[in-house]
Amino acid sequence: MSLAPTATTEQELREELAAAYRLMAHFNMTDLVYTHLSVRLPGEQHRFLVNPYGLLFEEITASSLVIVDADGQPKQETTWPVNPAGFVIHSAIHRSRADAACVMHTHTVPGMVIAAQDQKILPLNQMNIEFYGAVAFHSYEGIAADDNLSERDRLVRDLGTHSALILQNHGLLTVGATVAQAFYRMYYMEQACRIQIAAQATGVPLHMPSEEKILRTKKQFDEDPDQGKLIWQALRRKLDREQPDYKN
């Protein structure tokens, strides 16, 4: 089966991002109307698609997504409010990382539990090993708001060239060159958090593979050319069958 082409037009990106919102709701990775998934629009201007503030993720459609600038201000007519303060994290990363076309941020219980620990994701399982050395860490500074714009610089510094970030005492964040890639990373980082919490809850000593085996497995993940493309196609087909209105 050939892989679907990368979304390049505004409408294609709207459908991709709306699909991601619906899938976050499907997999119970939402925080009611809070958190954001965003994607950069083509062109030289710093413009992004983001959710209108107040809609549940399960309600979002391609046409309901709002175009905002790098400060989170609407650049189109909309009857829905947007949340510029909540876009602080996204704008910082979009501005600094050309490869971060899509940024996803979640407040899930597994993610927040790991964010409450001083250690990062442990290489306890094959899924976890995919994130070995690939997850950055940002210390908690309070609610990300537009009255603390200096935090943007520290977010960018802490993320560096990593594809995932643990926001201490807060939640998780992933970036990707596509919506599919960012979603793949978020879904499996969430799974890695679930595995770690479940393993810790047993109360028995935890076993980790040798450094040699960890590095070999991580290399295998990094060299996989798929990076979630097949999964994304399968999930889009699921939405097309069950929730086709996401494209509206």
Side-chain angles (χ1 to χ4, degrees):
M1 175 176 19
S2 61
L3 297 180
T6 301
T8 54
T9 69
E10 179 179 324
Q11 181 58 31
E12 288 171 337
L13 288 168
R14 282 181 175 274
E15 291 179 9
E16 290 265 285
L17 192 61
Y21 276 106
R22 293 295 185 94
L23 289 166
M24 286 287 184
H26 175 76
F27 290 113
N28 296 317
M29 295 169 65
T30 71
D31 180 12
L32 299 178
V33 301
Y34 302 107
T35 76
H36 296 293
L37 320 177
S38 60
V39 68
R40 182 188 295 116
L41 287 172
E44 296 182 0
Q45 298 177 327
H46 291 289
R47 299 185 312 143
F48 313 92
L49 289 172
V50 72
N51 52 314
Y53 193 37
L55 284 184
L56 295 170
F57 284 15
E58 66 197 48
E59 298 177 295
I60 289 175
T61 63
S63 61
S64 70
L65 293 166
V66 180
I67 299 174
V68 298
D69 62 19
D71 295 316
Q73 297 298 327
K75 303 305 288 184
Q76 68 173 74
E77 291 186 9
T78 176
T79 58
W80 288 94
V82 295
N83 184 8
F87 196 64
V88 168
I89 291 172
H90 292 247
S91 64
I93 296 166
H94 279 304
R95 280 174 160 174
S96 64
R97 290 273 298 270
D99 63 319
C102 181
V103 179
M104 298 191 175
H105 172 48
T106 61
H107 296 163
T108 64
V109 171
M112 291 188 290
V113 169
I114 297 302
Q117 300 181 4
D118 285 327
Q119 57 199 344
K120 298 180 184 178
I121 293 173
L122 302 175
L124 297 170
N125 177 275
Q126 184 167 287
M127 285 186 187
N128 298 52
I129 292 173
E130 182 170 7
F131 296 94
Y132 186 74
V135 181
F137 197 82
H138 177 68
S139 296
Y140 187 63
E141 297 191 29
I143 295 174
D146 53 8
D147 62 351
N148 185 20
L149 295 182
S150 63
E151 186 180 3
R152 289 180 175 181
D153 295 334
R154 291 183 288 279
L155 273 166
V156 169
R157 177 201 65 200
D158 292 341
L159 179 62
T161 60
H162 294 83
S163 59
L165 179 71
I166 293 174
L167 298 155
Q168 188 177 40
N169 307 112
H170 186 172
L172 305 179
L173 181 143
T174 60
V175 304
T178 62
V179 174
Q181 190 177 61
F183 181 87
Y184 169 82
R185 289 169 174 166
M186 181 58 78
Y187 179 86
Y188 279 104
M189 185 157 68
E190 172 84 358
Q191 291 295 92
C193 290
R194 290 178 179 274
I195 290 166
Q196 183 163 321
I197 293 165
Q200 291 170 330
T202 65
V204 302
L206 302 178
H207 173 77
M208 284 177 261
S210 67
E211 182 77 2
E212 178 186 359
K213 291 177 182 176
I214 290 171
L215 293 176
R216 178 177 180 274
T217 305
K218 180 67 168 68
K219 185 172 183 289
Q220 290 173 314
F221 275 117
D222 291 343
E223 292 176 350
D224 178 9
D226 181 61
Q227 292 292 304
K229 295 185 185 75
L230 288 173
I231 290 173
W232 186 249
Q233 289 180 69
L235 291 172
R236 287 288 300 268
R237 292 195 301 272
K238 178 180 178 64
L239 286 178
D240 288 345
R241 290 191 304 270
E242 299 176 4
Q243 301 181 47
D245 67 309
Y246 79 93
K247 291 183 177 180
N248 293 349

